[in-house]
Amino acid sequence: MSPLVSLFLLHIVTASATQLHPGYYLGTCPKAEIIVRDVMKKAFTRDPRSLASIMRFQFHDCFVNGCDASLLLDDTPTMLGEKLSLSNINSLRSYEVIDEAKAALEKACPGIVSCADVIIMASRDAVALTGGPDWQVKLGRLDSLTASQEASDNVMPSPTSNATFLIDLFGKFDLSVKDLVALSGSHSIGKARCFSVMSRLYNQSGTGRADPAFEPKFREKLNKLCPLDVDQNVTVGLDASPVVFDNQYFKDLVSGRGFLNSDQTLYTFPQTRGLVKQFSINQGVFFKAFVEGMLKMGDLKVDQPGEVRKNCRVVNY
């Protein structure tokens, strides 16, 4: 990570997040959360996998310039947005669901609910609708006036990241080791491309061999699903129950069946192994820690001008 990026991260603050609070729209758009939840329910019925991507919107948005919906801005002739950044292209999808929620909100309460808050509500709903915890979200954010593909590329971790790097990265956002491990449990739902596991399967750390942390039978399964000549856009479940938000992800890590290097490293690294074990045994403890991490991540903010966009893809004119 470059010194410039490290300096930028230090300017992300949580103090101003005290302005955020549950029920922020009760006086101006009292059905806001119901409207978003209804749209999410319809999306779940149409395509259950879409919720896994939407849940990750919060992480991919908040780590880049704070929680300001910069993620949702389309490219313009003068701005490269974040949708085509390395961590988002061929990974995040279902932006149209956010569009649908925003359109419904604009119909009910024009110009009131920010796209940044829609991301926070929708991410929470994605977890709740797939079997995970439900919680009160803090609202009251503004939408950014710009986005930065470069900022996203410089900040977001890759699937090959190790625990040391991830601990350091999350620490720059005042997120603890416990937050890191709990929030990694977002991989309890969804799939990833073979592209993300090829080096781990066939050339871990330049050795020309597979990661020894693989459970042998799981490695054999992945060798069949993701052979060297595979279309690397083929997808594989991130855990053994990829449509249910539960603690199976952590059980898989304990048994050497993690898909991404950035996941399995949490069990092989001593500083994070105990938390993985704890969450694998007690789903309630994991759920509580996950909610705490999501709330803390939702507080990330950069001091910058903002607005409430009418269309999440473009700034107001």
Side-chain angles (χ1 to χ4, degrees):
M1 186 174 295
S2 72
L4 179 62
V5 174
S6 297
L7 181 64
F8 164 76
L9 290 176
L10 293 176
H11 285 90
I12 290 189
V13 296
T14 58
S16 57
T18 55
Q19 301 166 9
L20 307 176
H21 59 83
Y24 182 86
Y25 295 110
L26 284 178
T28 54
C29 192
K31 293 185 178 179
E33 294 190 54
I34 295 172
I35 289 170
V36 175
R37 179 71 64 105
D38 285 346
V39 170
M40 291 293 291
K41 286 178 180 176
K42 292 174 185 174
F44 186 44
T45 300
R46 288 194 306 264
D47 178 11
R49 187 187 163 201
S50 67
L51 270 64
S53 180
I54 294 168
M55 177 189 59
R56 292 191 245 292
F57 281 6
Q58 180 173 331
F59 172 50
H60 288 247
D61 184 45
C62 293
F63 264 41
V64 183
N65 297 319
C67 308
D68 61 359
S70 58
L71 171 70
L72 302 179
L73 287 173
D74 288 340
D75 290 356
T76 72
T78 58
M79 182 198 75
L80 283 178
E82 297 161 27
K83 290 180 178 177
L84 298 183
S85 69
L86 295 173
S87 62
N88 297 340
I89 189 172
N90 297 322
S91 175
L92 296 185
R93 54 198 288 271
S94 304
Y95 294 104
E96 70 280 357
V97 178
I98 301 297
D99 294 336
E100 187 180 343
K102 178 60 174 172
L105 289 164
E106 284 298 299
K107 184 177 180 180
C109 322
I112 298 297
V113 182
S114 69
C115 299
D117 280 344
V118 174
I119 288 178
I120 297 295
M121 289 185 275
S123 297
R124 181 268 314 271
D125 294 346
V127 174
L129 291 170
T130 52
D134 203 347
W135 65 94
Q136 277 195 318
V137 290
K138 292 185 284 185
L139 303 171
R141 297 165 188 81
L142 291 177
D143 301 322
S144 69
L145 304 180
T146 187
S148 171
Q149 181 176 312
E150 182 181 10
S152 180
D153 285 341
N154 285 335
V155 172
M156 296 303 295
S158 83
T160 61
S161 299
N162 62 34
T164 302
F165 175 85
L166 293 171
I167 289 170
D168 181 62
L169 174 63
F170 274 62
K172 288 181 169 67
F173 294 92
D174 288 327
L175 293 169
S176 67
V177 174
K178 184 178 181 181
D179 295 326
L180 160 64
V181 178
L183 290 170
S184 296
S186 64
H187 288 172
S188 170
I189 59 174
K191 297 182 177 183
R193 296 183 299 147
C194 284
F195 171 81
S196 300
V197 78
M198 297 303 283
S199 60
R200 189 171 175 235
L201 268 177
Y202 301 106
N203 191 29
Q204 178 76 339
S205 302
T207 62
R209 297 187 295 274
D211 181 355
F214 273 124
E215 189 273 322
K217 290 184 178 178
F218 183 61
R219 187 189 68 234
E220 290 173 10
K221 175 184 175 181
L222 290 182
N223 286 145
K224 293 177 182 177
L225 292 171
C226 301
L228 279 168
D229 60 352
V230 72
D231 172 359
Q232 293 192 21
N233 288 315
V234 169
T235 57
V236 180
L238 283 165
D239 75 356
S241 59
V243 296
V244 180
F245 193 97
D246 54 18
N247 67 336
Q248 182 63 47
Y249 164 83
F250 295 104
K251 295 177 181 179
D252 287 351
L253 298 188
V254 170
S255 62
R257 298 172 68 86
F259 184 71
L260 302 177
N261 189 76
S262 56
D263 291 330
Q264 193 61 52
T265 184
L266 299 177
Y267 188 68
T268 57
F269 193 66
Q271 194 175 348
T272 48
R273 182 183 298 135
L275 287 162
V276 172
K277 285 184 177 179
Q278 183 181 29
F279 294 159
S280 74
I281 295 168
N282 193 321
Q283 181 167 276
V285 171
F286 159 50
F287 280 4
K288 183 175 183 293
F290 182 82
V291 170
E292 290 171 353
M294 289 290 276
L295 289 170
K296 287 173 68 175
M297 182 166 60
D299 284 347
L300 295 176
K301 182 178 180 180
V302 168
D303 237 353
Q304 60 185 1
E307 65 181 5
V308 175
R309 289 183 215 140
K310 298 175 182 177
N311 178 337
C312 292
R313 294 176 180 263
V314 296
V315 297
N316 298 336
Y317 292 102

